Amino acid sequence: MHKRNEMMDRPVINNDVREFLRKGQKQLTGPLKELESFAHQNRIPVIPHETVVFLIWLFHQVQPKAVLEVGTAIGFSAALMADQMEGGHVTTIERNPDMYQRAEKVFADLNLEDKISLKKGQAKEILQELASDTYDFIFMDSAKAKYYSFFPDCFRLLQRGGIIAVDDVLQGGTILQDQEEIPKRVRKIHRKLNDFLDVVLDHPALDASILPLGDGLLLITKKEEADFSFMQEDG
């Protein structure tokens, strides 16, 4: 049974609006629809349908050719992005052995093995190994407390004008609460997400915007090069 994720049940917008965004917009078809339904039925955290629809729209606008994903899970979002690309490639990183095996099977079943490179291991180490690669779109959907320390390498790997999309940054709205109000078991996530947002939302080298999709989708555009190495000191 998958570990419980309480944020899946804490919408950051009016619940009726959320349900409309999920059920009133165009639905997936075929194997991707089956995979999405499987994840929902088994309480496996994947991007919600309002984010699915947005990513499809966004990919048709920016037409990325080289995509990096940090946090594969069962491979749903990587498969979705690969499906929307013509002649492009997705590199995705997953540390959990069970999730890695599930994603590997998904990519094989969907005949996406030529379009997706699945890397197993700690994201921090793999990101550092990708020194010679550059990407025009990066999707961060991993451990929320690690966004802060992962960002410098993701920024380094991003082409100028490229986009970083960061999922689940609002924590069901609790991101706005004082730390004393946050349960001790999730205080590190709360602190590191706030530290992350404090840096990226007002940095001169970036344009950033948070969309109230799912549990908050942060979009960052790289305007110019900058030094974020101070964030790598995070453990």
Side-chain angles (χ1 to χ4, degrees):
M1 187 173 180
H2 198 273
K3 184 178 178 181
R4 182 172 175 267
N5 183 344
E6 62 193 55
M7 295 307 172
M8 293 174 68
D9 302 310
R10 299 187 65 164
V12 296
I13 60 173
N14 177 283
N15 190 63
D16 290 337
V17 174
R18 181 184 72 161
E19 289 305 302
F20 171 72
L21 293 178
R22 294 186 176 179
K23 298 177 181 177
Q25 301 192 83
K26 184 182 292 185
Q27 300 296 304
L28 295 172
T29 59
L32 281 175
K33 175 62 176 177
E34 294 175 7
L35 184 60
E36 182 182 42
S37 298
F38 171 82
H40 292 165
Q41 291 166 7
N42 290 274
R43 302 288 294 170
I44 299 172
V46 296
I47 56 173
H49 194 69
E50 62 268 33
T51 305
V52 168
V53 174
F54 175 74
L55 284 181
I56 291 173
W57 175 87
L58 182 65
F59 268 49
H60 290 173
Q61 306 308 308
V62 302
Q63 300 181 14
K65 297 299 182 185
V67 171
L68 174 64
E69 178 184 53
V70 184
T72 313
I74 63 171
F76 173 68
S77 51
L80 175 76
M81 292 187 290
D83 186 65
Q84 300 303 314
M85 299 168 67
E86 293 186 11
H89 194 85
V90 176
T91 300
T92 182
I93 304 169
E94 179 57 51
R95 68 174 183 174
N96 183 296
D98 178 59
M99 289 294 183
Y100 179 92
Q101 290 178 358
R102 292 188 186 198
E104 196 172 39
K105 185 177 186 305
V106 164
F107 300 152
D109 290 346
L110 298 182
N111 296 315
L112 290 172
E113 293 169 301
D114 290 341
K115 296 187 70 174
I116 301 176
S117 296
L118 176 58
K119 295 182 176 291
K120 180 169 65 175
Q122 295 294 332
K124 182 177 181 180
E125 297 173 2
I126 294 174
L127 287 171
Q128 292 174 351
E129 293 170 1
L130 296 174
S132 62
D133 295 316
T134 54
Y135 300 88
D136 44 15
F137 186 88
I138 298 176
F139 186 46
M140 298 175 66
D141 189 14
S142 59
K144 314 313 168 196
K146 295 294 185 180
Y147 285 167
Y148 185 91
S149 56
F150 289 168
F151 182 74
D153 277 314
C154 288
F155 181 83
R156 173 181 58 80
L157 293 166
L158 188 69
Q159 296 176 8
R160 186 173 297 190
I163 297 170
I164 298 178
V166 188
D167 205 21
D168 301 327
V169 296
L170 295 180
Q171 291 293 285
T174 63
I175 193 73
L176 304 175
Q177 296 177 3
D178 291 334
Q179 183 153 313
E180 292 70 24
E181 302 174 36
I182 303 298
K184 289 184 178 180
R185 60 186 173 82
V186 291
R187 279 186 184 174
K188 182 179 180 181
I189 296 174
H190 181 268
R191 184 180 75 253
K192 297 312 297 182
L193 269 177
N194 271 287
D195 289 346
F196 175 61
L197 294 176
D198 285 346
V199 172
V200 302
L201 290 181
D202 195 38
H203 196 283
L206 312 171
D207 280 331
S209 177
I210 299 176
L211 304 181
L213 298 172
D215 194 18
L217 182 68
L218 169 64
L219 297 177
I220 300 169
T221 302
K222 182 176 184 175
K223 296 168 58 179
E224 58 191 51
E225 297 295 338
D227 183 7
F228 291 98
S229 60
F230 65 93
M231 299 169 77
Q232 291 177 320
E233 296 174 359
D234 177 67

